[in-house]
Amino acid sequence: MQKNAEYVDVLIVGAGPVGLIMAYQLAKFGGVSVRIIEQHPKSMQDAYGRAITLFPRTTEMLDQLGLADELLQNCFACRDTVTYDASGQEVHGRGWSFMNRMNDTVFDFALVLRQRFQEEIFRNAMKEYGIEVEAPVELTTASVDQNVSRVTSVLLDRRTRAYETVRCRYIIGCDGGHSSVRRIFNIPFEGSASEDKWVRIDGQIKTDMPKHRSYCSIESPTHGNVLWAPLDRGATRIGYAFTDDRAKAYSKFDQDAAVEEAIAACKPFHIEIEHMDWWTIYTVGQRIAKNFFVDDCVLLAGDACHTHSSGTAQGMNTGIHDAVNLAWKLSLKLRGLASPDLLETYQAERLPNVQRLIQYDKDISQLMTNRLPEKWKGEPDADVNVVLGDLLDESSTFNSGLGISYEIHEDNPLNVDGSFCSSQPLIGPGRRGPDISLLRPGTFEATRLIRELPNTAAFSVLVFAGECTPPIPEVLFEDITSSPFLQLLISEGYLKFITILPERTPSPYEYLGNEPLGRAYFGGDDKTAYRRYGIEPTQGAIVILRPDGWIGTMTELSVDSIVEIESYFDRIFSEL
């Protein structure tokens, strides 16, 4: 039975965390119609397992989207790590110890919550905007009309066996490593799979391990670098390498075998699995889609465009980075505002970070199976556990997400060198804008930048007023308030200004000699906000933040700043 064709702006295929967050953002930003389908009904076993850990930058992005609070209510906030050698002795500076140094954020911990519970939170948030997952619904075929860059898809409802034709402006494949979108549009998935097999078990587990509610590594001579992770609701995850030598003992590897191997992997500690929630065995591999964006209307995100091991818990984090990078760009494009090339920045920004992760993951996955990396150039008898600890430490800011950056390139209008150069070496265009502490006027109540600037697909201009007279040049104030272009962006909700003052004052107006540009805040008694952005309080500066919280450009606080500000936005909102 065939239903009549329906039109929708965006069809999202796949309702894991990446697809759900993509749909949620597009619905939240408004002005766009969205449907999200999932071919698999969620079994209880599948629902419990899979990804568990959100690192600080991911949590910051979800906080900007209003999703973090509910996650925090349900999670295990893990701040402690420990590594045990083969004899059960605690060793320092190895395994997950980099997590002890995740700072410059209020989310200075691993947010651990099983994917089932994360998805429930994302689905409920999505429902508030009238969007629900359609399942089990399968994408059977799709094609692009090259004349108008529109996609025609045929969907199959697996319960009713009814077919439906859907026409959309964009289709986004968030449907995992075996993506039907990637397959239908013949997008090459380049890379390789290894012979390495890993096992993951979740459940209620008793143990005599001293620090069993820490993110833990056990350096097992037989099962590699064993993961022991505390989960929500008192549960624990155990992960270990299942080598060919271990496999020889089993004619069939089932749940009982997985438990038997888990007991062996955790030696010298004793464990008793009281209740098993979920388990899986899988093959480790690293692949990247050749294109993340094809035919001007087909997009891939998450595992649909890159797969790797779960060795450093980066899969869901990387996919959410994809979703947050893409959604606001697509929203602006669909509303007819953005430069025709804005969507090209999605692959340009995300691909280098994915490539870095894939190369790093190859080394990590080999080390976690007690082998030195394939291209290892050090001592041939080096201790794999020491090498693993060093590698995790070297890439700690990448793992936490706080150091993920986007390149400055002349073809990318989003990250632009400006007239101001921060005194902090890691602050600049294409880098994360720190979530500084601020004080509200009157009460001097503490708040944070992210809480005051939620992600609504709007850019933000942070005006750091100077300790000078006037704190904001009068000409600049008049240029900004009288600019038809900037005022249009503000009135339409695509741009926000906030003014940050270097010291407390009873009245922002009296300090500035004018109304503040947007809402006013104080940068703290010790001027921490200024220092964190590398701004001299006597001079001030202007920082433009992208909707996703990365810095777009930085300019001096001068009479000429208006030229840089308008020029920056003119390249992005070229259709306005």
Side-chain angles (χ1 to χ4, degrees):
M1 181 176 169
Q2 174 79 51
K3 293 182 181 178
N4 292 331
E6 181 179 319
Y7 175 82
V8 68
D9 289 324
V10 181
L11 175 65
I12 297 171
V13 182
V18 176
L20 293 173
I21 291 170
M22 191 80 73
Y24 169 76
Q25 289 178 97
L26 291 172
K28 177 184 175 70
F29 298 156
V32 173
S33 56
V34 183
R35 286 181 65 179
I36 177 169
I37 64 171
E38 168 59 52
Q39 67 172 324
H40 301 294
K42 300 290 186 183
S43 73
M44 287 302 292
Q45 188 189 48
D46 282 344
Y48 266 106
R50 298 170 291 164
I52 59 172
T53 304
L54 296 175
F55 284 116
R57 183 55 182 153
T58 308
T59 311
E60 284 188 345
M61 294 188 298
L62 295 176
D63 193 26
Q64 277 191 287
L65 290 167
L67 296 170
D69 280 349
E70 197 64 27
L71 294 168
L72 294 169
Q73 289 288 331
N74 290 273
C75 79
F76 183 92
C78 190
R79 289 181 169 86
D80 299 319
T81 70
V82 64
T83 300
Y84 295 107
D85 65 17
S87 67
Q89 296 299 306
E90 187 173 338
V91 291
H92 300 282
R94 301 216 294 244
W96 299 94
S97 62
F98 77 88
M99 287 170 50
N100 298 325
R101 298 181 296 280
M102 298 190 301
N103 48 35
D104 190 38
T105 174
V106 296
F107 303 110
D108 55 352
F109 54 87
L111 191 160
V112 185
L113 184 63
R114 282 171 287 180
Q115 188 168 324
R116 168 192 175 182
F117 302 113
Q118 293 193 38
E119 289 184 4
E120 284 180 1
I121 290 168
F122 301 150
R123 284 172 183 248
N124 288 337
M126 204 171 63
K127 284 180 184 176
E128 294 179 10
Y129 294 94
I131 309 295
E132 295 195 41
V133 175
E134 301 172 46
V137 175
E138 178 184 357
L139 175 70
T140 59
T141 63
S143 60
V144 174
D145 183 336
Q146 297 293 345
N147 294 322
V148 292
S149 294
R150 296 292 181 272
V151 183
T152 300
S153 304
V154 177
L155 311 182
L156 169 64
D157 186 316
R158 287 180 155 187
R159 287 203 181 104
T160 65
R161 308 307 299 174
Y163 287 90
E164 177 187 10
T165 299
V166 175
R167 293 189 173 88
C168 59
R169 293 175 67 182
Y170 293 92
I171 185 170
I172 309 177
C174 303
D175 48 344
H178 300 288
S179 169
S180 58
V181 175
R182 192 185 63 239
R183 173 181 51 80
I184 288 169
F185 290 99
N186 297 311
I187 301 172
F189 205 34
E190 300 170 341
S192 61
S194 72
E195 298 301 314
D196 296 330
K197 291 184 174 64
W198 289 3
V199 177
R200 296 287 185 263
I201 291 174
D202 292 355
Q204 300 291 331
I205 303 174
K206 274 188 175 180
T207 182
D208 59 359
M209 186 186 301
K211 298 180 179 178
H212 63 282
R213 298 310 281 170
S214 300
Y215 225 96
C216 172
S217 296
I218 305 170
E219 297 174 349
S220 167
T222 56
H223 292 77
N225 196 280
V226 177
L227 168 70
W228 178 282
L231 303 178
D232 54 88
R233 294 160 177 81
T236 299
R237 169 166 293 185
I238 298 173
Y240 57 86
F242 186 59
T243 63
D244 289 341
D245 287 342
R246 304 298 298 187
K248 290 174 184 176
Y250 303 95
S251 58
K252 176 185 178 184
F253 194 79
D254 55 14
Q255 179 171 309
D256 290 340
V259 170
E260 185 177 336
E261 286 298 304
I263 292 170
C266 292
K267 290 181 178 179
F269 305 111
H270 299 285
I271 68 168
E272 177 188 346
I273 299 179
E274 298 180 304
H275 177 76
M276 172 89 77
D277 288 331
W278 173 86
W279 79 278
T280 189
I281 182 170
Y282 67 98
T283 302
V284 176
Q286 293 87 18
R287 296 182 185 275
I288 307 178
K290 187 174 182 180
N291 302 102
F292 296 4
F293 181 40
V294 298
D295 295 330
D296 291 326
C297 54
V298 180
L299 293 141
L300 300 176
D303 286 355
C305 61
H306 44 75
T307 60
H308 36 83
S309 81
S310 62
T312 54
Q314 290 298 317
M316 181 165 57
N317 288 274
T318 305
I320 292 174
H321 274 264
D322 292 346
V324 173
N325 184 281
L326 174 58
W328 65 268
K329 298 174 181 178
L330 183 57
S331 176
L332 293 179
K333 188 73 171 64
L334 280 164
R335 286 182 278 168
L337 307 167
S339 159
D341 300 327
L342 186 63
L343 288 181
E344 300 291 345
T345 68
Y346 169 57
Q347 176 167 325
E349 292 188 335
R350 294 301 303 144
L351 179 59
N353 285 285
V354 170
Q355 289 172 328
R356 179 181 174 186
L357 171 61
I358 292 295
Q359 183 53 56
Y360 158 67
D361 185 67
K362 289 179 181 177
D363 294 343
I364 291 289
S365 59
Q366 289 178 320
L367 288 162
M368 285 189 166
T369 52
N370 288 340
R371 304 196 315 274
L372 289 168
E374 190 175 308
K375 297 180 181 179
W376 175 250
K377 295 179 181 178
E379 295 293 330
D381 58 349
D383 184 333
V384 293
N385 295 304
V386 172
V387 176
L388 175 61
D390 290 344
L391 184 56
L392 287 170
D393 189 59
E394 288 170 10
S395 38
S396 59
T397 60
F398 184 81
N399 288 334
S400 69
L402 299 171
I404 289 175
S405 61
Y406 300 134
E407 297 175 359
I408 295 174
H409 193 278
E410 61 181 10
D411 292 335
N412 187 342
L414 298 174
N415 314 312
V416 179
D417 276 326
S419 57
F420 178 80
C421 183
S422 170
S423 63
Q424 295 283 354
L426 298 181
I427 299 295
R431 294 185 176 274
R432 161 188 172 259
D435 182 23
I436 49 178
S437 296
L438 299 170
L439 301 176
R440 290 181 171 141
T443 62
F444 303 130
E445 179 186 358
T447 185
R448 293 186 287 113
L449 184 66
I450 280 178
R451 287 294 173 92
E452 300 303 320
L453 295 177
N455 184 353
T456 59
F459 286 78
S460 300
V461 179
L462 281 54
V463 180
F464 287 83
E467 288 181 321
C468 51
T469 304
I472 299 172
E474 291 180 10
V475 172
L476 176 60
F477 179 87
E478 291 170 2
D479 285 344
I480 290 172
T481 55
S482 63
S483 166
F485 179 45
L486 296 182
Q487 293 306 310
L488 177 60
L489 290 177
I490 293 169
S491 66
E492 294 295 327
Y494 308 128
L495 180 61
K496 313 168 201 170
F497 275 78
I498 70 168
T499 299
I500 299 173
L501 308 181
E503 61 188 56
R504 299 189 192 199
T505 176
S507 165
Y509 179 93
E510 289 186 16
Y511 183 90
L512 295 168
N514 272 309
E515 297 288 349
L517 293 165
R519 294 174 65 84
Y521 302 89
F522 305 116
D525 295 328
D526 55 0
K527 302 178 177 59
T528 305
Y530 284 70
R531 290 206 311 272
R532 187 62 197 89
Y533 274 85
I535 296 170
E536 173 56 50
T538 59
Q539 298 177 356
I542 293 175
V543 178
I544 296 178
L545 293 181
R546 301 161 24 147
D548 53 16
W550 269 261
I551 297 172
T553 192
M554 305 177 79
T555 79
E556 294 178 347
L557 186 64
S558 73
V559 295
D560 298 321
S561 300
I562 187 66
V563 176
E564 289 185 74
I565 296 171
E566 288 190 329
S567 175
Y568 177 81
F569 289 117
D570 187 55
R571 289 187 64 195
I572 296 166
F573 292 98
S574 60
E575 301 300 299
L576 193 62

